[in-house]
Amino acid sequence: MQAFEATNFYFDQAAKELDLTENVRTMLITPDREVRVEVAIELDSGKIGNFIGYRVQHDNARGPFKGGLRFHPLVDQDEARSLASLMTWKTAVVDLPYGGAKGGVNCDPNKLSRGELERVTRKLIEKIHDIIGPHKDIPAPDMGTDAQVMAWIMNEYGKYEGFQPACVTGKPVEFHGSAGRDAATGFGIAIITREVLSRLKRLVAGTTVAIQGYGNVGSHAARCLAGMGARIVSVSDAYGAVMNPEGINIGELDRHVAVSRKVVGFKGGDAITNEQLLTMSVDVLIPAALGGVFDREMALAVQAGVIVEAANGPTWPEADEVFNQRGIIVVPDVLANAGGVVVSYFEWVQNLQHFRWPLEQIQREEERKLVDAFGEIHELGQRKGVTLRTAAFMKAIARVGRAHVLGGM
Ligand code: NAD
């Protein structure tokens, strides 16, 4: 099964509950537009670097397309299609006036110099600037892209369309970005973890947590959860994992990672494998790296009671079924990691207003959005006797479908 099929599998589970007709189902799952462009640049060596870029615009019934740009060797059309569709449902779950899109460039940013990365970014925007924009499609960071890449996008877009900071979100704070955007997804993961634990009559304080992936999302989630009193017993990155049953000192880990760029070698814990992290006995497991982490076999081995999906698409449908049968609660990506797009929305609003909000206001509003969304989805799930994932898709499909009806064909 490929990523887009997996997303549509979850869509269909909810569609069955909603009695969607086949035509409406087809209309809602079919992407609006798919673009594939050649991104050829001059490398530092003087040779030509050939890359392929993608942008899939899935649905814009509720507002402009919105979604990240990923620079990664696994980026392809199917992945972009799946993630674009997830964005449609995610923006609807948290009730933002957006649709869904996703894209990226098939490249390994670790093997590109800063100059090459800038040229890849500018070439991509040269190719797609006419289909993006503040009221058309607003890109944001994802794996392999950061605030600097977003700044280059704003600058390149401006060459064609004039000064329009709202054309992209996730920009540096001192360059039309928003306070709190960097930490937004990880902060949101901590809020959602607190909410799901509260429904189980449990507190964050003292809860044991393992986090796969110590990049932007994983590290901010670790800091926020540790700040709320959780015991972060294990974290990993692409090179390996560390574990400390007493709880990892996150401040010390951050100092180690700042120097070595890896969690491996951290003296405040023991080295373990990534697989050991995923199957250890913890209260909460947070996948915050790549998609497709849990297959059936891995789902049978997981010992956590709650999974909070910080990554996009970490669970294949076969694994989701096992989690359900085993009573493991899964907070789905479309709800769990929506904090990033919520604060992207605040950045867009600030750019359109040419006005800045303070960090306290942003975090307060983000928390309110996520608490409300979690409450709605949890209540719907309880009332209909379905999982949080199916409830989230039901809520999102109903909202997007309603927008199509109100807007007219
Ligand atoms: P990132 O590139 O900053 O970090 C990814 C981390 O995962 C790195 O520490 C990397 O070493 C690690 N990793 C990669 N392969 C791994 C493996 N096989 N095992 C363990 N660790 C591995 O990316 P990010 O922005 O933190 O995004 C992480 C996930 O969260 C992605 O799925 C992304 O789509 C999703 N997400 C990100 C945001 C955001 O605001 N950044 C928002 C929503 C969802």
Side-chain angles (χ1 to χ4, degrees), residues 70 72 83 87 90 102 141-145 181-182 184-186 211-219 236-240 261 263 274 278 287-291 293 309-314 333 337-341:
R70 186 176 276 201
H72 192 276
L83 295 171
M87 282 305 296
K90 190 182 301 182
K102 204 77 170 195
D142 198 89
M143 283 177 70
T145 58
R181 174 59 186 88
D182 219 27
T185 308
I211 303 178
Q212 185 206 33
Y214 203 70
N216 173 290
V217 178
S219 66
S236 68
D237 59 21
Y239 308 97
R261 321 301 305 167
V263 301
N274 243 301
L278 293 172
L290 294 170
V293 173
E309 292 184 344
N312 282 313
D333 45 10
N337 70 29
V341 72

Side-chain angles (χ1 to χ4, degrees), residues 87-103:
M87 282 305 296
T88 298
W89 314 125
K90 190 182 301 182
T91 54
V93 163
V94 282
D95 203 9
L96 300 178
Y98 286 139
K102 204 77 170 195

Side-chain angles (χ1 to χ4, degrees), residues 85 110 189 265 388:
S85 159
N110 296 319
I189 291 295
L388 287 171

Side-chain angles (χ1 to χ4, degrees), residues 295-309:
D295 55 15
R296 188 180 148 74
E297 204 180 322
M298 184 58 80
L300 285 165
V302 163
Q303 293 191 62
V306 175
I307 295 173
V308 180
E309 292 184 344

Side-chain angles (χ1 to χ4, degrees), residues 93-143:
V93 163
V94 282
D95 203 9
L96 300 178
Y98 286 139
K102 204 77 170 195
V105 177
N106 184 298
C107 67
D108 186 347
N110 296 319
K111 294 192 179 142
L112 296 175
S113 69
R114 187 183 159 88
E116 289 168 341
L117 200 59
E118 179 173 350
R119 292 197 286 283
V120 165
T121 306
R122 290 189 185 279
K123 180 61 79 174
L124 175 70
I125 300 308
E126 181 192 315
K127 294 285 177 89
I128 67 169
H129 71 88
D130 54 341
I131 62 158
I132 63 171
H135 301 289
K136 289 185 192 169
D137 179 356
I138 307 133
D142 198 89
M143 283 177 70

Side-chain angles (χ1 to χ4, degrees), residues 4 23 32-33 74 76 86 123-124 143 156 158 168 171 228 258 299 337 350 357-358 372 380 382 385 403:
F4 189 50
N23 289 353
D32 203 59
R33 171 155 49 183
L74 295 180
D76 63 18
L86 272 184
K123 180 61 79 174
L124 175 70
M143 283 177 70
E156 188 65 25
V168 59
K171 302 177 291 294
M228 291 158 80
N337 70 29
Q350 291 172 83
W357 299 359
D372 287 354
L380 181 63
Q382 296 284 302

